[in-house]
Amino acid sequence: MTYIEDNKELIKEVLDAYPEKAAKRRSKHLDVYEEDNSKCGVKSNKKSVPGVMTTRGCAYAGAKGVVWGPVKDMIHISHGPVGCGYYSWSGRRNYYVGTTGVDTFGTMQFTSDFQERDIVFGGDKKLAKLIDELEVLFPLSQGTTIESECPVGLIGDDIEAVARKKADETKKPVVPVRCEGFRGVSQSLGHHIANDTVRDWVLPKADEYRKLPEGFEPSPYDVNIIGDYNIGGDAWPSRMLLEAIGLRVISQFSGDGSFNETVMTPLAKLNLIHCYRSMNYICRHMEEKYGIGWLEYNFFGPTQIAKSLRKIAAQFDETIQANAEKVIAQYQTDMDAIIEQYRPRLEGRTVMMMVGGLRPRHVIPAFEDLGMEVIGTGYEFGHNDDYKRTEDYIKDGTILYDDVSGHEFEEFAKKLNPDLIAAGIKEKYVFQKMALPFRQMHSWDYSGPYHGYHGFAVFARDMDLAINNPTWSLIKNPWEAK
């Protein structure tokens, strides 16, 4: 049999462990990529199978943890019981510049701490009081968002009315985000909901809220970085590259971003989106409303960095295009040295990925720059267009898995025996106990940045440390240890 047929048989073998009905449902979410087959056969953005372990988050996680949470100078209230707020406290390493507790609040957590009486009598008054108290405690905050948790939607609290009233009283934006966790099938709907609140509650008042920096004059080179959450400092090397080719970044939404940067976005000439899944909605709106074009870029690994810089520069004049070539040439020697150092140690090593957002496709070229091969990849909460975009990055025979279960992921790993697993924190210790090197690719395993030329140096070092750590010579896979 061919490699493709082998992997198709592997999928059937893994599904045999399920009851017939569950196996039939899950079979639609697993496939082997074939270049000759123009249609991707992986279904996505569907409800997880009850009883089958999923790594997905909820709408609240997508709205607060991803989109709104990194806006550093606003207070983000987890409206509901304490558990969700506690769990989401400082979870994604969204680096920012500022004085925490004074003018920035990214690693602080605010919750209305719902109790039983709030479920019975409603929490609107408590929410209003909380906003008043926060205004006294943190007068330099630039506004508030209210991320509602499940009970708030179930009892029907009117957070929109509270938001309007408190915005009038405080003269600051108060944005209600109706992101109860039970909504939708994953955190993906939370991204969409958060984008819609920017569309409906922020941008219509952008001219009123906006504070133009002193001496600000619009330029033809103004751009926004959209959907980079500055995990481990990712947005900073990306911004450096864009500014090095002559563009002016007027907004980072939302990593290390401020509320004023959010209302600056309509002034840009182009939206540059890194995480397509979480922010394409607001980019589409700005294209329709303001005529601002947008494009997706990939700053993982020197091959894609150069390709993306050229694609971005092509939207501007010859000066920017010439600058892009200079920047690419400037870093080429450094990149060649990094590849020369690490590729001999990583050449031919195989990787299985399972992450969220853009990583299951965007990181593939960075591995390939180091001579590594991705043999399986999939999304926690991807949509069909994510898998369509993934086809540009993967090779014949790559296994694709959507919302992969613990059983499926572990069985694929046992049979394919990759040299590295690149996934999330929930999977990390399972695979390390299986004696498989692992990198946590949601927040870079306490490392980073990974974006841009500077980030690739860190990425290459971390992959080498993970795979070539001498620890692995001391232990064996549990199924081989007997």
Side-chain angles (χ1 to χ4, degrees), residues 205-219:
K205 291 188 175 182
D207 293 338
E208 174 187 336
Y209 290 141
R210 189 181 297 125
K211 300 171 185 176
L212 291 175
E214 186 176 350
F216 178 87
E217 293 289 341
S219 90

Side-chain angles (χ1 to χ4, degrees), residues 15 30 114 147 150 173 180 185 222 283 285 341 430 434 440:
L15 289 173
L30 308 172
F114 254 47
E147 278 79 22
C150 289
E180 294 87 358
V185 302
D222 292 345
C283 289
H285 169 70
Q341 178 181 358
V430 172
M434 291 168 62
Q440 202 270 78

Side-chain angles (χ1 to χ4, degrees), residues 237-276:
S238 299
R239 182 172 186 145
M240 287 168 57
L241 283 176
L242 296 174
E243 292 176 345
I245 69 172
L247 301 179
R248 180 170 68 169
V249 178
I250 63 172
S251 172
Q252 285 182 200
F253 185 46
S254 57
D256 193 32
S258 64
F259 180 74
N260 194 52
E261 287 179 75
T262 307
V263 295
M264 290 279 284
T265 54
L267 302 181
K269 301 301 185 292
L270 184 67
N271 281 323
L272 300 174
I273 180 169
H274 198 70
C275 183
Y276 170 86

Side-chain angles (χ1 to χ4, degrees), residues 60 64 76-80 85 88 109-113 147 149:
Y60 162 86
K64 181 182 184 294
H76 307 289
I77 299 174
S78 296
H79 186 38
S88 66
Q109 177 52 236
F110 306 90
T111 177
S112 52
D113 187 21
E147 278 79 22
E149 300 171 23

Side-chain angles (χ1 to χ4, degrees), residues 313-354:
Q315 311 302 313
F316 297 93
D317 58 29
E318 293 179 357
T319 301
I320 300 298
Q321 294 169 28
N323 288 344
E325 295 301 327
K326 290 178 184 176
V327 169
I328 294 168
Q330 173 189 341
Y331 284 99
Q332 191 60 52
T333 302
D334 291 341
M335 295 301 101
D336 290 343
I338 291 167
I339 291 171
E340 184 180 355
Q341 178 181 358
Y342 291 106
R343 186 162 182 141
R345 298 170 59 82
L346 298 170
E347 186 89 44
R349 301 301 185 101
T350 56
V351 185
M352 288 182 65
M353 281 200 292
M354 194 286 294

Side-chain angles (χ1 to χ4, degrees), residues 360-408:
R361 63 179 181 275
H362 272 199
V363 184
I364 292 174
F367 282 119
E368 291 177 342
D369 285 336
L370 296 171
M372 303 171 72
E373 180 185 359
V374 174
I375 58 175
T377 190
Y379 297 81
E380 288 181 16
F381 48 84
H383 293 207
N384 289 346
D385 51 354
D386 289 303
Y387 285 98
K388 190 64 180 174
R389 283 172 160 77
T390 305
E391 293 176 9
D392 295 333
Y393 293 95
I394 56 179
K395 297 177 180 178
D396 248 4
T398 304
I399 295 183
L400 295 171
Y401 30 79
D402 178 70
D403 185 27
V404 70
S405 71
H407 162 73
E408 294 159 5

Side-chain angles (χ1 to χ4, degrees), residues 14 54 86 98 102 119 127 135 172 195 224 238 241 243 277 288 298 302 336 395 403:
V14 170
T54 177
Y86 181 83
V102 178
I119 302 296
L127 176 62
E135 182 63 21
K172 293 179 181 179
N195 279 229
N224 299 318
S238 299
L241 283 176
E243 292 176 345
R277 180 72 277 132
E288 295 170 2
N298 181 352
D336 290 343
K395 297 177 180 178
D403 185 27

Side-chain angles (χ1 to χ4, degrees), residues 124-174:
D124 287 352
K125 291 182 180 179
K126 187 174 190 178
L127 176 62
K129 183 180 179 182
L130 174 58
I131 294 173
D132 289 340
E133 291 176 351
L134 290 171
E135 182 63 21
V136 172
L137 289 170
F138 305 105
L140 295 184
S141 74
Q142 297 302 302
T144 305
T145 67
I146 305 162
E147 278 79 22
S148 56
E149 300 171 23
C150 289
V152 174
L154 294 173
I155 65 178
D157 271 8
D158 193 349
I159 64 172
E160 291 81 8
V162 175
R164 291 188 185 96
K165 181 181 179 182
K166 288 301 163 187
D168 287 340
E169 291 177 1
T170 63
K171 306 305 178 187
K172 293 179 181 179
V174 180

